[in-house]
Amino acid sequence: MIEAISCGGVVIFRGKILLLYKNIKNKYEGWVLPKGTVEPGETHEETALREVLEESGSRAFIVDYVGRSEYSFTVPEDVVAKEVHWYLMSTDSYYSKPQREEYFADSGFYKYHEAYHLLKFANEKQILEKAYAEYQERKRNNQWMN
């Protein structure tokens, strides 16, 4: 078994959530949250910020740690057990530009109910629920910047 650690973000601007649409030669299609693999010497926070910037072009900043998700998938030579650490993030604009090299065909900010239904994976929907609840709580308490 191969163990892998990734980090990502639920980026919220003016109540809308950043999503990416991945399309790998029509074999894999779906909306996802930005995330990626931890590189040697990087903290989880640094990875999450770098991956959001690389995959979406959004210059986000971390508000809080949301939690982690775990899942596994099969590759030709083995099974990969993946752990993903998620952060609630904010940014200062709706700007996004999908990273073509990673097969992202589209990106954008969506209202919560749209984002929830667009997301392909159940574990990302759970993270979105948790992150959005924290966003709403911070907004109610005037602890959200935009």
Side-chain angles (χ1 to χ4, degrees):
M1 184 173 288
I2 301 166
E3 292 184 4
I5 299 176
S6 289
C7 300
V10 178
V11 182
I12 300 176
F13 180 66
R14 295 188 179 159
K16 293 186 177 178
I17 297 106
L18 174 64
L19 297 184
L20 298 164
Y21 185 77
K22 195 161 202 167
N23 185 352
I24 302 176
K25 297 177 181 143
N26 298 318
K27 288 186 208 147
Y28 169 92
E29 293 180 283
W31 290 93
V32 296
L33 296 167
K35 69 176 179 303
T37 306
V38 177
E39 291 183 356
E42 261 185 340
T43 66
H44 289 174
E45 293 87 353
E46 289 167 340
T47 300
L49 291 168
R50 176 181 54 76
E51 288 292 341
V52 167
L53 180 60
E54 285 178 2
E55 292 185 351
S56 73
S58 178
R59 293 192 181 279
F61 55 91
I62 291 173
V63 176
D64 204 359
Y65 181 73
V66 176
R68 70 181 191 168
S69 56
E70 295 175 347
Y71 58 95
S72 60
F73 57 93
T74 306
V75 292
E77 61 277 359
D78 211 339
V79 173
V80 177
K82 186 158 242 188
E83 177 180 289
V84 185
H85 294 270
W86 295 99
Y87 295 87
L88 173 60
M89 298 183 182
S90 185
T91 187
D92 60 3
S93 79
Y94 286 121
Y95 176 81
S96 70
K97 182 180 180 208
Q99 184 183 24
R100 304 284 181 206
E101 304 80 43
E102 289 289 327
Y103 304 101
F104 291 114
D106 198 4
S107 64
F109 285 81
Y110 294 87
K111 292 177 183 176
Y112 173 79
H113 69 279
E114 294 169 329
Y116 185 86
H117 291 291
L118 284 170
L119 280 174
K120 183 175 179 82
F121 299 111
N123 61 352
E124 290 194 5
K125 288 182 180 195
Q126 290 173 329
I127 290 297
L128 174 59
E129 280 182 290
K130 195 171 174 185
Y132 199 76
E134 182 174 337
Y135 157 75
Q136 288 181 309
E137 180 69 21
R138 285 176 174 270
K139 198 155 169 57
R140 263 193 304 279
N141 296 325
N142 294 315
Q143 296 173 324
W144 192 262
M145 10 2 234
N146 58 39

